[in-house]
Amino acid sequence: MSDAEERPLGETEEDGETEMEEEEDPNYYAEVESMQQESKEDDTVAWRDSQEEGEEKETKEEAVREETVEKAGAAQEEVAAEVQEETTVKPQDVTESVVSLERLTLTDPQSVMSETSPKTHGGGESKHSLLSELSSSLSSQLEFLDLELTSSKEQQMSSPESQSSGELGDDTDHVPQDELGQERRDLEPEKGETRQENRVSYLTEETKEVQPEAGIPKDSLVSTTTEDILFQKDESASVCPLTMTWSFGWNSSLPVYYIRDANQRVLLYASAHTAVIYDVFKNSQHHLQGHPNVISCFCISEDRRWIATADKGPNCLIIIWDSFTGIPVHTMFDSCPEGNGIRAIAISRDAKYLATISDAEIQKVSIWRWTLAVETPACTLDLPKEYGFQNYLTFNPTNNKELVSNSKTQAIYYLWYEEGDILTHSAPLLTEKTFNKLVGKFSQSVFHLNLTQMLSATMEGKLVVWDVDRPPPSAPTSLGLPYIRPCKLVHLQKESITVLTTVDSYIVTGDAKGHIKFYDHTLSIIHWYSHFKLSSIRSLSFSKTPATPPTENSNYPPDCTLKGDPFVIRNLVIGTSDATVYHLTTDGTKLEKLLVEPKDAICAISCHPYQPLIAIGSFCGMIKVWDYERKKYLFSRVFEKGLGVQSLTYNPEGALLGAGFTEGTVYILDAMSLENEIPEPFKYSTTSVTHISFSHDSQYMATADVSFTVAVYKVKVKRGQRVWEYLARLRSHRKSIRSLLFGVHLDSSEPRLLSLGRDRRLIEYSLLKSYRDHLEVLDIHRTDQGSYPTCMIWYPPLVKERFLLISNSSYKVKLFNSTTKMCRKTLLGPVYGSPIEQIQILPVKMTVELQKRYLVFINTDKVGLQILPIDGNPHKTSAIICHPNGVAGLALAYDGHYAFTAGGPDRSVLQWEINLRSTPAK
């Protein structure tokens, strides 16, 4: 009698680890025979009964087994013999084999069969059941690897040599679990029945836990989200060295949309190449980043769910975003290959279709089935040059196959035949002779509420009414095309109409005087808001939620009818030309300022030396100071007309703020109030002041202007008070001054002043030898031969020798000895499409950080971070696009946690969080 027949059930309940230990101890089986003799005899009787019942089947199965063993080869028979001698396996040990299947090599099915053959010699039925269980377990394991399994019984029982690992015993996938369990129970002795059932149950539960992770897909976040998830998401730690966290300013040339109301007040606007979703109540921003160029136009669906943004420039993109999650759901690459981007965009009321107008010389109108994730438009139409540049586009709210667009001189009606993807248009020429009156230039066009007419607003305060003649729906295209014809010119008001839209049952206009007027379908005025004294209206966006009906507690204003009924209208957001955004609560007529930002280019920014404050200066004459940690506006000052802020710098003490203006004036302001610190500003220059710098002890201030001149101002004590006085100025360069830098002499605490120009001259001035109207030059050195320098900075003391770091137009950085001005080393600098424009060393607060320093730089359109010391390794730098139209300024927070970039003409300042943990991997 074999060991497998004599071994009791209780001795085979251990896991794989115990089984291996038993194999290593040959004396173990002798002890089992002496201690469990009675139990072995009972088990043997039960086993022989099962053998007799399946005698006929045993013969067939034994033949198959013998054939399999013969094909396994002599070497495998020897291994199988050893396993037979050392291993005692009973039918209930099938579970142990299933558990150990994870150790099997899927590429060697012969070894699987050879190991199982000696374990299944106790009877034909037991051998068949064992093979079935092994095949079932192996099949479940292979399913996790996404392998294709075959379920044919013939393939399972064929020779292992002709079977792949994926074909091994898959028949049990189609056998109910109850049948498999019954086969196991038929082969098990009563003594171990309970424990075996527990083990099978454990395996079944384990399989159920693992399978959903690989087989059941998770629901899409876009399809399951709610409106609140955008600002509830837990922002994990960024893996990027630079991450945008806030945007100061917005593009007031584009509209601002009201996308959330009720308990929220959420706005959508554009800032440089980023669309910003701003929650007013939470003072939180979410940024939709992905465009390589400045956003030129964008729109939002009627339900405020889908946002479409487009840019203008090389490799332009159209991106559709989910406003609930901020996820881009579809991107159209190279949407306008012949042109320079997208000039106008609109989305249909049902959000199924998107329409765009390119910005090429020959404009192209395209309609996109964006929900099908296509890369090409459904239909296109080229517009003649005579139509002018179409800059406004909208769908018919009641028919998504109709559109209207206009330029300053031409309005165009479109009809899309979806069956043949044909886009037809009608554009009648409108002149002064049409109505024998001055029409004016078009601003915006919409479809009339009566569905049979169109309206076009003009800068003369008039409305052109167009009749739309449509062919019958059943008529073929060849019998006639739709067309429009001008039928009426209505002089609504004196002011230029800048915005034209519809809401509920009203036609709404916004004009250059800041007035908002509401008309009914007959163009009779119903109500207007004219007492707010706003600047020119740029956009009107109404709440998605309809206005609440009037009650006893309501305070709606009366309308202009004889009845004087309450004028009930939705709340709205107003965007004006001076970059101010208002919210109007119609119940009670409450106007609130939400955003007040610079309306012109921003080139001047400076961070306070020891407080989380940033000063932002614009060409419109505004200086604003923000707390950049709390994202809170603190105070501002607007200078008289004609004074544009070109440069700003805090002094090292943080008490003063130097400001240089576009017409050459220099102000010294109190840092906390922006009031003048000097009786009269300095007016020694007639050109824009581009650089301002203070000495380390705040005793000197130097400026540089566009006319290549350096001016120095000095503090003197008069009557016990510190007074700033003009010292001297010198036209020391022949080309533009790139950097103006104060330092400290190595052998004393006296300040030193250096300037670097595009004329390749590095000039140091002697402040001690300078006097009134005479600025002494100490030495002049040439920095380059062919290239020109772009900026310079004091290199941190990572070694004993002190250096000046100078970058040039050939992507090189040079280290000059700070005393002798000798070039000590030339290395490759950051290479990101354009030379470095500005450099600053990242500040540190702890002494242990002094030996690991970082450098922040900007070039034409990017901001980047580099690990010091500079050694020419390109993998120690990282950069990201910040302002595609050009970076105008760079500033760093006093603690080194943030970098700020000014975008110049895009009227924005971006705040970047610096993550130094990700830099070692670069």
Side-chain angles (χ1 to χ4, degrees):
M1 185 179 297
S2 65
D3 292 340
E5 294 176 325
E6 296 177 354
R7 187 176 178 184
L9 174 65
E11 299 299 327
T12 61
E13 338 184 290
E14 302 297 329
D15 56 11
E17 181 177 355
T18 306
E19 184 178 354
M20 293 178 65
E21 293 177 357
E22 292 174 354
E23 292 175 0
E24 295 175 357
D25 188 3
N27 298 327
Y28 175 82
Y29 305 112
E31 295 179 14
V32 171
E33 289 187 48
S34 61
M35 295 175 60
Q36 303 291 341
Q37 186 64 34
E38 294 180 359
S39 177
K40 285 186 293 183
E41 294 176 355
D42 295 339
D43 293 344
T44 302
V45 172
W47 200 310
R48 289 176 177 174
D49 292 340
S50 63
Q51 290 176 348
E52 293 175 358
E53 293 176 359
E55 185 175 359
E56 294 179 359
K57 191 173 182 180
E58 177 183 3
T59 304
K60 298 180 181 180
E61 295 295 334
E62 186 68 19
V64 173
R65 184 183 63 80
E66 291 175 357
E67 181 182 356
T68 302
V69 173
E70 290 175 359
K71 293 182 179 181
Q76 292 178 340
E77 288 179 344
E78 185 177 355
V79 174
E82 295 176 2
V83 174
Q84 182 177 2
E85 292 177 0
E86 296 179 358
T87 307
T88 58
V89 178
K90 297 172 67 174
Q92 62 269 22
D93 289 339
V94 171
T95 304
E96 296 182 15
S97 300
V98 173
V99 175
S100 62
L101 272 175
E102 296 180 357
R103 305 192 192 99
L104 295 179
T105 303
L106 296 178
T107 59
D108 191 6
Q110 294 182 3
S111 63
V112 175
M113 298 298 296
S114 63
E115 289 184 15
T116 56
S117 295
K119 297 180 182 180
T120 59
H121 65 281
E125 184 176 349
S126 62
K127 289 194 291 288
H128 176 74
S129 176
L130 179 57
L131 288 172
S132 299
E133 288 188 15
L134 287 175
S135 301
S136 175
S137 301
L138 182 58
S139 172
S140 63
Q141 296 293 330
L142 295 177
E143 284 179 356
F144 300 153
L145 303 176
D146 293 334
L147 298 176
E148 295 183 359
L149 302 178
T150 58
S151 59
S152 174
K153 293 184 179 180
E154 296 178 358
Q155 290 179 344
Q156 292 174 18
M157 300 305 299
S158 62
S159 174
E161 295 178 353
S162 62
Q163 287 183 332
S164 65
S165 61
E167 297 173 340
L168 190 61
D170 198 28
D171 179 59
T172 54
D173 288 347
H174 302 282
V175 180
Q177 184 66 31
D178 293 339
E179 295 182 13
L180 293 177
Q182 182 64 37
E183 290 181 358
R184 296 189 187 100
R185 287 192 294 271
D186 291 341
L187 300 177
E188 291 171 356
E190 296 180 359
K191 184 175 181 178
E193 185 173 351
T194 303
R195 293 189 180 183
Q196 177 64 19
E197 289 179 355
N198 293 338
R199 185 178 296 276
V200 172
S201 175
Y202 167 76
L203 289 174
T204 304
E205 294 298 327
E206 182 181 23
T207 304
K208 290 181 179 179
E209 291 178 1
V210 176
Q211 284 181 345
E213 296 181 2
I216 300 178
K218 295 183 179 179
D219 292 336
S220 168
L221 185 63
V222 174
S223 63
T224 60
T225 187
T226 63
E227 294 188 13
D228 298 328
I229 194 173
L230 186 66
F231 294 100
Q232 290 180 356
K233 289 191 299 185
D234 183 18
E235 298 294 341
S236 59
S238 175
V239 297
C240 300
L242 293 165
T243 305
M244 191 172 80
T245 59
W246 197 262
S247 174
F248 302 92
W250 65 289
N251 188 352
S252 56
S253 301
L254 300 178
V256 55
Y257 290 105
Y258 195 1
I259 64 174
R260 302 282 190 280
D261 46 20
N263 297 328
Q264 302 181 78
R265 188 172 296 170
V266 182
L267 311 179
L268 171 69
Y269 55 86
S271 178
H273 64 312
T274 303
V276 180
I277 300 177
Y278 174 50
D279 190 321
V280 177
F281 293 153
K282 296 181 180 180
N283 194 30
S284 178
Q285 289 184 355
H286 183 87
H287 305 111
L288 307 180
Q289 295 178 269
H291 285 280
N293 308 297
V294 171
I295 293 176
S296 58
C297 53
F298 66 106
C299 60
I300 190 168
S301 61
E302 183 69 20
D303 61 358
R304 308 300 197 271
R305 177 69 188 266
W306 309 109
I307 300 169
T309 58
D311 61 61
K312 186 163 55 177
N315 302 317
C316 60
L317 301 177
I318 299 174
I319 305 178
I320 294 89
W321 312 79
D322 175 22
S323 68
F324 292 175
T325 61
I327 295 174
V329 295
H330 185 48
T331 302
M332 303 172 191
F333 296 93
D334 201 16
S335 56
C336 185
E338 299 88 1
N340 195 33
I342 305 300
R343 191 178 186 93
I345 192 170
I347 191 168
S348 60
R349 189 182 185 91
D350 58 6
K352 288 184 178 180
Y353 306 113
L354 198 68
T356 60
I357 300 180
S358 66
D359 196 44
E361 184 177 358
I362 298 179
Q363 290 185 291
K364 180 178 292 185
V365 182
S366 304
I367 297 179
W368 308 74
R369 294 187 180 96
W370 72 270
T371 56
L372 302 181
V374 295
E375 294 294 334
T376 56
C379 61
T380 60
L381 175 66
D382 291 339
L383 300 178
K385 296 181 181 179
E386 294 77 19
Y387 290 172
F389 281 104
Q390 303 288 311
N391 51 25
Y392 184 78
L393 177 68
T394 186
F395 276 91
N396 186 342
T398 60
N399 185 357
N400 55 20
K401 306 300 186 296
E402 292 184 326
L403 302 94
V404 61
S405 71
N406 67 260
S407 63
K408 292 182 178 180
T409 58
Q410 190 84 50
I412 306 177
Y413 164 78
Y414 307 89
L415 179 61
W416 176 31
Y417 291 93
E418 188 175 6
E419 295 78 11
D421 281 335
I422 300 174
L423 186 62
T424 63
H425 76 287
S426 174
L429 182 63
L430 191 64
T431 64
E432 295 180 7
K433 295 181 180 181
T434 306
F435 299 107
N436 292 324
K437 291 182 181 179
L438 179 64
V439 177
K441 296 180 178 180
F442 294 123
S443 56
Q444 292 184 1
S445 301
V446 296
F447 284 90
H448 196 285
L449 300 172
N450 61 19
L451 308 180
T452 61
Q453 292 178 321
M454 288 180 0
L455 303 174
S456 295
T458 73
M459 301 304 289
E460 296 296 326
K462 301 174 183 179
L463 275 184
V464 178
V465 182
W466 308 83
D467 281 338
V468 181
D469 292 327
R470 304 179 180 92
S474 58
T477 307
S478 59
L479 295 181
L481 297 175
Y483 65 93
I484 60 173
R485 53 185 175 85
C487 68
K488 189 182 295 185
L489 181 66
V490 181
H491 197 165
L492 287 183
Q493 58 190 54
K494 295 181 180 180
E495 297 82 11
S496 301
I497 300 176
T498 56
V499 175
L500 178 64
T501 185
T502 59
V503 60
D504 298 332
S505 59
Y506 301 105
I507 300 169
V508 190
T509 65
D511 58 40
K513 292 289 186 179
H515 303 163
I516 303 171
K517 299 180 181 180
F518 298 82
Y519 302 85
D520 63 7
H521 67 282
T522 65
L523 297 182
S524 298
I525 191 165
I526 301 299
H527 189 71
W528 69 89
Y529 297 102
S530 60
H531 59 284
F532 295 138
K533 297 181 179 179
L534 308 179
S535 61
S536 178
I537 305 296
R538 286 287 177 85
S539 66
L540 297 173
S541 181
F542 290 87
S543 169
K544 182 179 69 172
T545 305
T548 57
T551 61
E552 295 180 356
N553 298 326
S554 299
N555 190 20
Y556 288 104
D559 60 22
C560 299
T561 62
L562 293 177
K563 294 181 180 180
D565 295 330
F567 178 68
V568 181
I569 197 69
R570 309 178 187 215
N571 297 337
L572 68 152
V573 168
I574 307 166
T576 63
S577 59
D578 61 354
T580 305
V581 178
Y582 302 88
H583 179 269
L584 177 61
T585 305
T586 56
D587 187 1
T589 316
K590 302 175 184 177
L591 188 70
E592 304 171 62
K593 283 185 179 181
L594 304 183
L595 296 174
V596 182
E597 301 294 347
K599 62 181 180 180
D600 289 330
I602 300 175
C603 294
I605 54 175
S606 181
C607 288
H608 197 276
Y610 55 85
Q611 292 186 18
L613 306 178
I614 181 172
I616 301 173
S618 169
F619 281 2
C620 66
M622 175 188 290
I623 298 178
K624 293 188 67 174
V625 178
W626 290 77
D627 183 330
Y628 56 75
E629 286 187 348
R630 296 186 297 163
K631 312 299 186 296
K632 183 179 179 181
Y633 158 72
L634 300 179
F635 47 87
S636 63
R637 177 178 175 179
V638 179
F639 292 83
E640 56 267 25
K641 190 175 181 180
L643 291 180
V645 183
Q646 178 69 57
S647 54
L648 288 173
T649 302
Y650 282 98
N651 73 330
E653 297 172 354
L656 303 176
L657 178 65
F661 288 80
T662 54
E663 40 72 65
T665 305
V666 177
Y667 279 78
I668 300 178
L669 309 173
D670 180 84
M672 294 295 109
S673 65
L674 299 182
E675 297 294 331
N676 292 352
E677 279 290 312
I678 54 178
E680 293 292 333
F682 298 117
K683 297 182 179 180
Y684 292 95
S685 177
T686 58
T687 58
S688 180
V689 178
T690 57
H691 297 79
I692 294 182
S693 183
F694 286 91
S695 62
H696 71 286
D697 55 3
S698 298
Q699 295 297 309
Y700 291 92
M701 180 183 73
T703 63
D705 58 30
V706 175
S707 60
F708 326 134
T709 302
V710 174
V712 179
Y713 306 86
K714 185 178 180 180
V715 172
K716 290 188 177 180
V717 179
K718 290 185 177 180
R719 299 176 183 177
Q721 295 183 348
R722 292 162 52 93
V723 179
W724 283 93
E725 289 186 351
Y726 164 76
L727 180 61
R729 61 195 303 264
L730 178 66
R731 193 174 189 272
S732 51
H733 291 273
R734 295 176 295 179
K735 292 185 179 181
S736 61
I737 297 175
R738 306 294 299 184
S739 293
L740 186 65
L741 194 62
F742 273 100
V744 182
H745 286 283
L746 296 179
D747 54 353
S748 67
S749 60
E750 292 296 325
R752 54 191 300 196
L753 176 64
L754 301 95
S755 65
L756 179 68
R758 188 165 177 170
D759 56 2
R760 304 178 182 87
R761 290 184 175 184
L762 174 61
I763 302 177
E764 182 170 3
Y765 307 88
S766 176
L767 298 177
L768 294 178
K769 296 181 180 180
S770 299
Y771 50 88
R772 180 77 178 190
D773 294 330
H774 177 75
L775 184 59
E776 183 74 16
V777 174
L778 186 61
D779 55 45
I780 301 176
H781 289 83
R782 188 179 181 91
T783 61
D784 293 272
Q785 296 298 324
S787 306
Y788 61 87
T790 57
C791 56
M792 70 174 175
I793 197 69
W794 292 108
Y795 195 69
L798 301 178
V799 293
K800 294 182 178 180
E801 188 176 2
R802 294 299 305 274
F803 296 109
L804 271 171
L805 187 148
I806 297 179
S807 175
N808 66 20
S809 58
S810 297
Y811 302 95
K812 301 294 192 299
V813 290
K814 296 184 177 183
L815 296 179
F816 290 83
N817 183 279
S818 61
T819 303
T820 64
K821 311 297 192 309
M822 180 183 295
C823 180
R824 302 283 286 135
K825 187 178 292 188
T826 301
L827 300 163
L828 177 67
V831 181
Y832 290 99
S834 60
I836 295 176
E837 298 291 335
Q838 291 186 39
I839 294 177
Q840 291 194 30
I841 302 298
L842 197 66
V844 295
K845 297 182 64 177
M846 302 175 62
T847 306
V848 295
E849 299 175 346
L850 291 176
Q851 295 303 316
K852 191 171 184 180
R853 305 296 298 273
Y854 297 85
L855 176 148
V856 181
F857 63 88
I858 58 173
N859 62 4
T860 301
D861 59 347
K862 300 178 184 68
V863 58
L865 187 69
Q866 179 167 8
I867 303 173
L868 297 181
I870 293 178
D871 56 7
N873 184 356
H875 300 289
K876 294 174 66 174
T877 63
S878 176
I880 187 172
I881 294 176
C882 55
H883 301 277
N885 281 4
V887 190
L890 172 68
L892 300 181
Y894 72 98
D895 56 2
H897 289 167
Y898 300 102
F900 300 86
T901 56
D906 66 22
R907 290 165 281 184
S908 67
V909 173
L910 302 183
Q911 178 178 348
W912 304 86
E913 183 178 6
I914 299 175
N915 180 22
L916 298 181
R917 294 182 179 180
S918 64
T919 54
K922 291 294 178 181

